[in-house]
Amino acid sequence: IDVNDSWASQETIVALAKAIRGAPALQIVRLNNTQIFDQGAMELAEAIQHAPALQSIDLCCAGVCEAAVLKLAEAITNAPAIQSVGFRCADITEESMVEIAGAIPHSSSLQSIDVGNASLSAVAAIALAAGIRRCASMQHVDLSYTEISEEG
């Protein structure tokens, strides 16, 4: 599913989430530069957890609410085949990044995470480093153009 550079209504994202749940062979979801509203984002995050073949979710530059980012962190842990997660340019708070970092080592399949072009506080950077270090399957971390505080 590729819905790049779109303005999608909440109803559209909810329908997309239902499609993800109903597509057991779906492997890739790209929502780059897509504004995703609260309820749609929550439905999407929930659907990702139940997509048995989903390997990649790309939310680079997507507008996603804080609660959905936290739900996506949970999805990283529970999605059985997830290999790649992209949050490039996403406006992720310190709390959300810590949650994402905490989810990383619990995924047995996650190989790549993109948090490039972000601004990481010391707390978020340290949590991310710890999560990556404890993830046996991790192969690639993209931090390009990321501002990391001096303490991080």
Side-chain angles (χ1 to χ4, degrees), residues 72-121:
L72 284 165
E74 183 180 324
I76 291 169
T77 302
N78 296 325
I82 198 79
Q83 294 177 8
S84 176
V85 180
F87 292 108
R88 174 172 292 280
C89 299
D91 187 20
I92 299 176
T93 66
E94 179 179 284
E95 176 187 354
S96 292
M97 185 53 73
V98 169
E99 288 294 320
I100 291 167
I104 291 171
H106 299 288
S107 172
S108 60
S109 57
L110 187 63
Q111 297 175 7
S112 175
I113 187 163
D114 181 352
V115 290
N117 218 14
S119 180
L120 297 180
S121 69

Side-chain angles (χ1 to χ4, degrees), residues 15 21 24 28 40 46 65 79 91 98 105 107 109 126 133 138 142 144 149:
R21 286 178 187 237
I28 299 170
E46 184 66 29
C65 69
D91 187 20
V98 169
S107 172
S109 57
I126 290 167
R133 188 172 41 253
M138 186 63 67
D142 190 339
S144 57
S149 70

Side-chain angles (χ1 to χ4, degrees), residues 31-45:
L31 297 168
N32 300 351
N33 297 314
T34 301
Q35 182 64 41
I36 304 168
F37 298 97
D38 294 354
Q39 184 58 39
M42 295 298 288
E43 292 282 338
L44 185 63

